[in-house]
Amino acid sequence: MKNQWITFREFLKYMSLLKLKNYFLLYSSFQLSRLSKKPTIWGYPTTLSIEPTTSCNLRCPECPSGLRSFTRPTGMLEYELFKKIIDQSKDTLTYMHLYFQGEPFLHPQFLGMIRYADGSGVFTSTSTNAHYISEKNVDQIIDSGLRQMIVSMDGISQEVYEEYRIGGNLEKVQKGLSLILKRKKEMRKQFPRIILQFLVTGKNEHQIPDLKNWAKKIGVDELQLKTTQIYGFENGSELIPKNLEYSRYVPSKNGTWKLKKEIENKCWRMWQGAVVTWDGRMLPCCFDKDGQHVMGKIHENPLKDIWNNASYNSFRQQLLYDRSQIDICKNCTE
């Protein structure tokens, strides 16, 4: 709780009256939309996930980047486009996650983007597989303004780790984690907060006790045990944990599997924020990994115009009416 309070206190430093007002308007219009079953949107995105690149060094089996299975274009975000996105949204943006698909540290200007967003008054976060934290860049990472770093590590032994993080090197990940935690302490810096994220699967759930001990010993700021999204879960998978506490799915009566949580005709994410791909396509949600629902392109229209356009409101209308008919919602924990 202490570490979470430190993060929240830092988050509040990036707030302004305009950002608070915008958040209130968004939440109010979301509740009104739920009651009326008609999409009303007051305010602009308070959160954004921005994709630096689709490139990745690993080949994780439930990830389009790892599978190299995108049908949308792949590439790297241009720095000027990133600045354009931040400039258009910074007045109301409270949180930016510089990640969607791919490994963000593969982008040569990644830390420059973090610095620009932080300098624009935006709380910054990222997710990484931690293969690129080194003596050469660790001080730059700490000094960049990055406030939160989520590190994915789904095993406490190389054998188990590489079952999912195919092509990964656990020793390299652990060395990178140890290095940044050590340098933070030496530099007397609290940020970035380091969140160790463990995707629980049927292949690694037995390592959770050892993981907790290791995380405590190394001194990460937070440990998150996260459920794993699985494609084609209906017919079961060896990746579904036996302990259903850590599963998004439960057995159904007919021998197949279903989502643990029933899909409801609401989704705060559609009022809260959006995803922007490396080439400027604005998507409604991080579950749309292949970019099937493009609401607009920032090269062609301002972000705020896209946020309020007919396509976006039509999408919001559909989820208020019958969300189960939206493909990307069928594997969602919202």
Side-chain angles (χ1 to χ4, degrees):
M1 285 297 295
K2 179 182 177 182
N3 288 323
Q4 292 175 341
W5 169 246
I6 291 171
T7 303
F8 180 67
R9 188 175 61 191
E10 185 71 7
F11 178 77
L12 289 178
K13 293 179 182 179
Y14 288 83
M15 295 298 288
S16 65
L17 289 176
L18 179 58
K19 290 179 180 182
L20 286 169
K21 177 183 177 182
N22 180 72
Y23 187 92
F24 176 77
L25 288 172
L26 286 174
Y27 191 73
S28 299
S29 61
F30 169 61
Q31 296 299 342
L32 176 62
S33 300
R34 287 185 63 191
L35 291 171
S36 67
K37 298 296 182 183
K38 295 181 181 179
T40 300
I41 190 79
W42 299 327
Y44 298 103
T46 187
T47 66
L48 283 179
S49 292
I50 304 175
E51 180 178 62
T53 180
T54 51
S55 300
C56 189
N57 54 309
L58 305 184
R59 299 188 70 90
C60 305
E62 295 294 324
C63 173
S65 289
L67 294 170
R68 315 307 196 249
S69 63
F70 288 114
T71 59
R72 64 179 171 95
T74 57
M76 289 201 176
L77 176 65
E78 293 180 359
Y79 187 70
E80 290 304 315
L81 176 58
F82 174 79
K83 289 173 61 179
K84 184 176 183 179
I85 297 166
I86 295 299
D87 291 346
Q88 290 184 8
S89 60
K90 64 183 180 182
D91 291 341
T92 57
L93 198 60
T94 60
Y95 177 92
M96 181 205 68
H97 195 53
L98 195 54
Y99 169 79
F100 175 36
Q101 295 296 290
E103 168 50 49
F105 277 91
L106 287 174
H107 196 297
Q109 295 172 293
F110 171 69
L111 293 178
M113 293 177 185
I114 292 290
R115 283 190 290 271
Y116 188 81
D118 181 69
S120 299
V122 179
F123 184 95
T124 56
S125 173
T126 194
S127 295
T128 176
N129 60 46
H131 281 72
Y132 298 98
I133 301 171
S134 67
E135 292 281 1
K136 291 182 179 180
N137 67 7
V138 65
D139 288 2
Q140 296 173 46
I141 294 170
I142 294 169
D143 288 333
S144 67
L146 183 65
R147 289 299 179 254
Q148 181 171 277
M149 178 187 287
I150 300 170
V151 175
S152 298
M153 195 189 84
D154 311 320
I156 201 69
S157 67
Q158 177 62 30
E159 181 182 9
V160 171
Y161 173 77
E162 66 183 359
E163 282 273 358
Y164 188 81
R165 300 287 167 181
I166 297 172
N169 185 316
L170 180 62
E171 183 180 5
K172 198 170 187 178
V173 173
Q174 292 180 332
K175 281 184 176 179
L177 265 172
S178 298
L179 176 61
I180 194 167
L181 290 167
K182 177 186 174 186
R183 287 297 291 144
K184 274 177 58 183
K185 192 172 183 179
E186 291 172 349
M187 297 168 72
R188 298 183 179 181
K189 296 290 184 77
Q190 290 187 320
F191 299 96
R193 308 303 285 176
I194 306 299
I195 299 174
L196 182 60
Q197 189 177 89
F198 189 87
L199 289 179
V200 183
T201 71
K203 296 184 176 184
N204 67 14
E205 60 184 320
H206 65 284
Q207 292 195 325
I208 291 175
D210 289 339
L211 170 76
K212 289 180 176 179
N213 289 334
W214 185 83
K216 184 177 181 180
K217 179 181 177 182
I218 196 174
V220 297
D221 296 301
E222 185 179 343
L223 172 64
Q224 291 182 352
L225 300 177
K226 187 177 179 183
T227 61
T228 304
Q229 179 184 351
I230 299 170
Y231 294 106
F233 65 86
E234 294 86 353
N235 296 318
S237 168
E238 59 185 358
L239 293 176
I240 297 177
K242 293 181 177 63
N243 185 345
L244 297 183
E245 177 187 351
Y246 301 116
S247 174
R248 296 187 187 189
Y249 317 102
V250 293
S252 59
K253 293 180 180 179
N254 63 4
T256 60
W257 291 75
K258 64 179 182 178
L259 280 175
K260 182 187 291 185
K261 189 174 181 181
E262 295 293 330
I263 295 176
E264 299 181 57
N265 293 330
K266 65 180 181 68
C267 184
W268 165 233
R269 292 186 187 192
M270 294 306 106
W271 277 256
Q272 178 190 43
V275 174
V276 183
T277 63
W278 70 273
D279 56 350
R281 301 170 188 230
M282 195 160 163
L283 311 178
C285 174
C286 62
F287 275 77
D288 190 11
K289 293 177 171 57
D290 213 23
Q292 300 171 25
H293 302 276
V294 179
M295 300 293 112
K297 299 178 180 178
I298 294 178
H299 284 302
E300 300 172 359
N301 297 106
L303 183 146
K304 291 181 178 180
D305 288 353
I306 298 171
W307 182 244
N308 284 298
N309 69 19
S311 295
Y312 227 133
N313 283 320
S314 176
F315 191 88
R316 294 185 182 107
Q317 178 66 74
Q318 177 60 48
L319 70 87
L320 290 169
Y321 175 71
D322 187 2
R323 187 163 159 246
S324 67
Q325 297 304 306
I326 302 175
D327 52 353
I328 61 173
C329 295
K330 293 179 180 179
N331 204 353
C332 180
T333 55
E334 168 69 28

